[in-house]
Amino acid sequence: MTSIIQFADIHFGVEDKDAMAALAAMVKLLKPDVTVICGDITQNGKKDEFYAARDWIRTLPGPKVITPGNHDTPMFGLLQRVFDPFGRYNRIIAPLTEPHYTDQYVSIMPLNTSRGWQAKTDWSLGVVDMAELSGVTRDLKAVSSSTVKMIAVHHPLIYPSSSPLQKETENGADALKHLSEENIDAVLSGHVHAPFMLERQPDETEIMSIGSGTLSVRRRDKPASFNHLSIDGETLSITEIFWNDGRYQNSEPWIKKISELKSQRSD
Ligand SMILES: [Fe+2]
């Protein structure tokens, strides 16, 4: 069995200090084979926030797959945002991530959907570079088809109707279609600060999407939370672990047979 912890939106600087303090015991209990961090690691992309995040990430056991979020660029440094948006992230956090994670049950690759600035008014929106996505899917296609293949991003490619935030990710729908056609199985994301799970659509236009909540105090009517996924040759189980009344509690796990979550299309 592979144990995966999925974090997102910790926003060091405004992290939920109580939930974070209690996290080490949960991590010990869940024994992750890999930890995925789906962006917005910091609040304002400041050096001290990145250093605090780095020190915490170093305490996590095993390999990490990390991708930045829109908050991981210098919020108040316009020149840096334009000319070197991920300079700090690349220097302080990127050395801690694996380029990908693969074992006998799962393969996970990160893809950056965040931008320092964009030729639009809202710079926080997600963008999928389709050429970059093709490179990721090409690498995932090389992995055994029996593994559950996932990409880790910050922005949901399509926002679920349950999301408290309703935006659009540039090329998101095309990206989901491409992922489906390439027999990728799931997208791990963050950004909306509320957990969600969407199943593969029977018409093959959308693959499974698994969103993690936030461990910051920037909440949208949901408790602080993260996800735990466990995968073996038979099933994928997803559990939301949320912070309530000063302790972590588990949601009812969502369990799916691997044979049912994968596309019926042959490789
Ligand atoms: Fe966020």
Side-chain angles (χ1 to χ4, degrees):
M1 192 199 73
T2 300
S3 170
I4 304 166
I5 292 182
Q6 180 193 7
F7 292 122
D9 299 273
I10 299 169
H11 286 280
F12 272 92
V14 292
E15 75 275 23
D16 185 318
K17 290 197 172 5
D18 293 338
M20 290 301 288
L23 202 52
M26 289 305 294
V27 171
K28 206 171 172 187
L29 201 69
L30 296 169
K31 295 187 179 63
D33 295 293
V34 57
T35 298
V36 182
I37 306 177
C38 292
D40 277 5
I41 296 156
T42 68
Q43 171 63 6
N44 288 314
K46 291 179 175 175
K47 267 192 226 165
D48 58 343
E49 294 170 351
F50 275 123
Y51 287 133
R54 178 196 63 186
D55 291 347
W56 171 74
I57 291 168
R58 281 177 173 166
T59 68
L60 300 171
K64 272 72 73 175
V65 174
I66 311 172
T67 190
N70 49 290
H71 278 259
D72 298 322
T73 63
M75 283 292 153
F76 307 113
L78 188 61
L79 283 177
Q80 274 178 297
R81 284 192 75 157
V82 173
F83 294 109
D84 191 20
F86 294 105
R88 277 182 194 156
Y89 174 88
N90 286 336
R91 281 191 298 277
I92 303 168
I93 303 296
L96 303 172
T97 185
E98 303 291 322
H100 60 85
Y101 173 84
T102 299
D103 65 21
Q104 76 178 108
Y105 298 124
V106 68
S107 188
I108 309 168
M109 284 199 70
L111 176 75
N112 184 359
T113 55
S114 303
R115 300 293 182 267
W117 74 280
Q118 303 180 51
K120 54 179 87 152
T121 51
D122 188 348
W123 294 359
S124 72
L125 298 176
V127 180
V128 178
D129 180 320
M130 293 301 283
E132 211 177 323
L133 180 69
S134 294
V136 167
T137 52
R138 194 174 49 242
D139 289 348
L140 282 172
K141 272 184 86 81
V143 179
S144 164
S145 59
S146 64
T147 62
V148 175
K149 300 180 183 184
M150 300 179 167
I151 66 163
V153 296
H154 177 59
H155 300 81
L157 302 184
I158 287 183
Y159 287 69
S161 56
S162 64
S163 167
L165 193 65
Q166 290 295 331
K167 303 275 183 179
E168 206 165 297
T169 296
E170 190 177 317
N171 298 328
D174 287 346
L176 273 178
K177 190 162 175 286
H178 169 82
L179 290 165
S180 178
E181 286 167 357
E182 298 296 329
N183 287 349
I184 309 305
D185 301 306
V187 180
L188 302 173
S189 63
H191 190 59
V192 298
H193 294 206
F196 68 86
M197 213 285 299
L198 295 175
E199 297 206 44
R200 175 185 287 276
Q201 294 297 304
D203 66 1
E204 301 277 5
T205 54
E206 292 178 27
I207 63 169
M208 185 167 58
S209 293
I210 303 160
S212 168
T214 180
L215 282 171
S216 75
V217 296
R218 292 171 48 112
R219 299 232 266 279
R220 297 197 174 99
D221 292 331
K222 297 280 180 190
S225 71
F226 64 96
N227 290 338
H228 179 243
L229 286 67
S230 59
I231 303 181
D232 59 21
E234 300 278 308
T235 57
L236 164 66
S237 164
I238 305 166
T239 307
E240 177 203 339
I241 299 178
F242 57 96
W243 181 247
N244 190 35
D245 283 342
R247 66 188 180 99
Y248 279 110
Q249 295 175 49
N250 293 2
S251 70
E252 195 64 32
W254 178 89
I255 297 168
K256 190 88 181 165
K257 277 190 181 164
I258 302 291
S259 58
E260 288 172 8
L261 73 85
K262 291 184 89 66
S263 168
Q264 300 308 306
R265 193 188 290 116
S266 58
D267 267 324

